[in-house]
Amino acid sequence: MSARPLDEPHRVSSQLELLFDLTFVIAVAAVTAQLAHDIAAGHGLAGLVPFLQVFFAIWWAWMNFTWFASSYDTDDVAYRLLTMVQMAGVLVLAAGVPAAAGHADFGVVTLGYLIMRTALVTQWLRAGLEDPASRRTARRYAAGIGLAQLAWLLRFLLTETGVLPAWSAFASFVCLVVLELAVPRWAERARATTWHPHHIAERYGLFTIILLGESVLAASRGVEGALDAGEVGGPLIVVAASGLVLLFALWWLYFLVQAGDGLSDRRHRSYLWGYGHYGFFAALAALGAGLEVAVEQTGHGVAASPLALGYAVAVPVASCLALLWAVHALVVAERVMYPAAVLGCVAAVLALPLVAPWLGLAAVVAAITTGCVLLAAVTIAANGARGSTPSAVRPRPAPR
């Protein structure tokens, strides 16, 4: 298991990585469905923290594998089998999402996480054994991940036995998240891993597409609920069509920047870029839940008010736009999304739900979509006026 070169040409996602991603489709679908249920019941704010906690577990598991595979994807029998063990852990985690998000019972989620992390630690130990040049880095990763996993198990046991007070559960969760995020930074100080910038950019793009697909699926579930109720009218068509166009606009804005070149020239910003996607990914998943309930309420009444439903769509959209501008700004040499346009759109999106009690939710969703489409159009036109397709870096001069 030797490190793959960071400048390897034509590096793309492997079939095993694509199969690995499919297991996360199930996990994301489970956590999105639970959040939609909470929103519909009028408990959206109460369900937000469990949603963010469980989504962190899903995202961090995907992150750990993705960056490891970018450096050490040997695609041999041992690597494939250990990756498949991680897939099994993801499915166990997905099975525990309803209990975790609905009843704060993290037993099954913790078990799934343990299965995944055990396989990942084994991968790092193997890398340390077979790649002498990066042995210290690999052992640091194995030790850091192992220590963090033991801390998660200890937290779960102390919470379940009542030793850890209920009020400290969230504080301890935040502390362990900080520990998890610190492990890569500490491990890479020994020797940086050879992750491939274009491969990483493609992997993040694929996960973005997965989350957009989950939003389409969630909205489809809402349409099914409305159809079952026998209520098919103008509001249903407006919300469903607006939701689809909204997702198209967000897709267009995300892929305006091909981040591979930017990450290649700015590897020191990879932590901020990679970690910053957590908020963007979580917002995309939450948007799916908001759209599902928005479509569903056109067919039958839900407990949540029109104002709450409006913000269930507006807050994720505003978060997506703000964080999308932030992660793009980390890897571009020339400005792609203009801050004034983004902030103006975010402000308008957050203000629109205030009129939902009078204009109706369908009009609010349509207006939010219109704002995002206008932002995309302005951004595309502004970059087109420069005479080139937006890119992550300035063109390099030809070698002499």
Side-chain angles (χ1 to χ4, degrees):
M1 182 175 270
S2 58
R4 296 182 66 156
L6 59 86
D7 57 351
E8 181 180 348
H10 312 298
R11 178 74 188 276
V12 295
S13 299
S14 67
Q15 290 85 353
L16 184 62
E17 286 176 310
L18 299 178
L19 179 63
F20 183 82
D21 286 352
L22 286 180
T23 61
F24 282 86
V25 172
I26 299 173
V28 173
V31 71
T32 302
Q34 182 60 45
L35 180 61
H37 175 75
D38 291 336
I39 293 171
H43 309 304
L45 284 177
L48 183 59
V49 171
F51 164 78
L52 292 175
Q53 289 178 314
V54 176
F55 190 84
F56 175 82
I58 295 170
W59 167 78
W60 190 242
W62 178 87
M63 277 267 296
N64 277 220
F65 170 78
T66 295
W67 290 79
F68 174 85
S70 192
S71 299
Y72 287 104
D73 183 0
T74 54
D75 199 33
D76 57 8
V77 173
Y79 178 85
R80 289 186 175 189
L81 291 177
L82 286 170
T83 301
M84 290 174 182
V85 171
Q86 292 182 70
M87 294 182 199
V90 175
L91 295 177
V92 172
L93 184 150
V97 165
H103 311 289
D105 180 2
F106 289 89
V108 179
V109 169
T110 302
L111 175 61
Y113 218 57
L114 176 62
I115 295 172
M116 288 187 292
R117 304 304 286 281
T118 300
L120 182 62
V121 168
T122 304
Q123 294 271 43
W124 276 116
L125 288 174
R126 181 189 173 199
L129 181 66
E130 299 181 9
D131 184 18
S134 300
R135 179 165 298 164
R136 190 179 176 193
T137 299
R139 288 177 175 176
R140 281 192 174 196
Y141 266 111
I145 294 171
L147 177 63
Q149 185 57 45
L150 289 176
W152 285 114
L153 290 174
L154 181 61
R155 173 186 178 272
F156 173 74
L157 293 175
L158 292 179
T159 302
E160 289 297 305
T161 56
V163 176
L164 193 65
W167 58 265
S168 65
F170 180 73
S172 61
F173 178 87
V174 172
C175 290
L176 291 181
V177 166
V178 172
L179 174 62
E180 290 276 11
L181 296 178
V183 168
R185 190 79 177 186
W186 170 68
E188 298 274 335
R189 286 182 178 178
R191 179 187 173 94
T193 52
T194 58
W195 53 269
H196 194 290
H198 291 87
H199 175 249
I200 288 294
E202 182 195 20
R203 298 292 293 130
Y204 273 70
L206 290 173
F207 201 72
T208 299
I209 291 174
I210 286 174
L211 292 169
L212 290 170
E214 290 288 355
S215 295
V216 174
L217 175 62
S220 299
R221 288 197 296 260
V223 172
E224 290 175 5
L227 292 176
D228 290 341
E231 296 288 341
V232 180
L236 171 63
I237 296 173
V238 169
V239 174
S242 297
L244 187 60
V245 175
L246 174 61
L247 297 175
F248 290 162
L250 292 175
W251 171 87
W252 207 310
L253 286 170
Y254 183 86
F255 288 102
L256 273 174
V257 170
Q258 301 299 322
D261 289 340
L263 286 173
S264 179
D265 285 2
R266 299 168 177 82
R267 292 179 74 91
H268 62 286
R269 294 185 178 179
S270 60
Y271 292 99
L272 291 176
W273 184 87
Y275 291 171
H277 272 76
Y278 165 72
F280 176 72
F281 286 158
L284 273 183
L287 175 59
L291 288 175
E292 177 178 350
V293 182
V295 173
E296 182 182 349
Q297 64 84 38
T298 63
H300 59 84
V302 296
S305 66
L307 180 65
L309 294 178
Y311 274 111
V313 175
V315 171
V317 170
S319 301
C320 280
L321 295 176
L323 291 169
L324 185 54
W325 169 80
V327 296
H328 278 352
L330 290 169
V331 294
V332 293
E334 294 182 353
R335 183 171 50 191
V336 174
M337 297 178 69
Y338 288 82
V342 174
L343 291 176
C345 187
V346 167
V349 166
L350 292 177
L352 283 169
L354 296 174
V355 301
W358 297 277
L359 297 183
L361 182 62
V364 169
V365 175
I368 290 173
T369 300
T370 301
C372 291
V373 170
L374 288 175
L375 176 63
V378 168
T379 304
I380 294 167
N383 285 279
R386 293 206 296 254
S388 63
T389 301
S391 59
V393 293
R394 298 179 187 273
R396 292 186 177 90
R400 295 182 179 178

